[in-house]
Amino acid sequence: YEDEKDWKRARGELELAIKFDPKDADVLIDMYRLPETDEKWRNAVLARVRDLCKTFEKEIEENPSDASAYNQWAWLISNTEGDYQQAIRYSHRSLELNKRGESGAASFLDTLGRCYYAAGDYDNAVKYEREAVAKVNYLQVMQRQLAEFEKALADKNAGAAKAPAKPN
């Protein structure tokens, strides 16, 4: 429905999806990014984001050596809004705790890249996304994200090059 720009039907499907799995961060992210929503929708989505973050925080408290909850919290915040610096810290922690081998590391590096991007640190966003892509170069979603980060970095650098010198 999103491809057809049928936002009403897309909204209905997203609402149904989140009812089936209230812990699906990707559905919440899609709900957050859905165009043509009103303030009531946005506030309800942000309340769900906060609630899910609390759920992940509880999982972290109960099992601080499990990388997944750290990664999920960081992914959700970096794709919506919240404490991006905490997201970066949690993402780094997920990498420290990774026991899922190269594919886990790639996924967690992908999250770390997104965290840095959300925080406006495009240099580190590109750095970590390149590491993720190097581990699983067949994943188009990561390659698209890397292209997005590289464009943001290039735009930032082009803007810095065009900025006039500040007078003394």
Side-chain angles (χ1 to χ4, degrees), residues 9 33 41 43 55 71 76 79 83 135 149 154 159:
R9 289 176 85 181
R33 293 180 177 169
W41 171 266
N43 289 338
T55 298
N71 186 66
L76 180 58
N79 279 283
D83 187 342
K135 290 182 182 302
F149 298 171

Side-chain angles (χ1 to χ4, degrees), residues 21-134:
D21 186 358
K23 286 181 63 176
D24 190 328
D26 288 320
V27 171
L28 272 181
I29 292 164
D30 285 345
M31 292 173 79
Y32 176 84
R33 293 180 177 169
L34 190 68
E36 299 184 20
T37 59
D38 58 17
E39 188 174 340
K40 182 180 176 185
W41 171 266
R42 185 159 183 79
N43 289 338
V45 169
L46 288 173
R48 286 178 185 252
V49 167
R50 286 189 296 273
D51 289 345
L52 187 52
C53 283
K54 287 177 187 170
T55 298
F56 292 142
E57 288 166 0
K58 186 175 182 199
E59 289 176 14
I60 289 168
E61 271 183 43
E62 292 171 357
N63 191 357
S65 62
D66 180 22
S68 182
Y70 291 97
N71 186 66
Q72 287 289 91
W73 193 98
W75 181 251
L76 180 58
I77 291 300
S78 66
N79 279 283
T80 58
E81 54 190 70
D83 187 342
Y84 298 136
Q85 295 306 313
Q86 181 67 31
I88 290 168
R89 288 189 296 274
Y90 274 4
S91 187
H92 275 289
R93 185 68 180 139
S94 73
L95 279 159
E96 292 168 8
L97 296 170
N98 176 43
K99 293 182 176 111
R100 297 180 181 170
E102 289 296 302
S103 66
S107 175
F108 295 163
L109 285 165
D110 178 55
T111 298
L112 185 56
R114 176 54 70 177
C115 291
Y116 277 113
Y117 179 80
D121 183 343
Y122 303 141
D123 290 300
N124 275 318
V126 168
K127 173 187 171 183
Y128 288 108
E129 198 63 31
R130 282 182 180 159
E131 287 184 35
V133 168

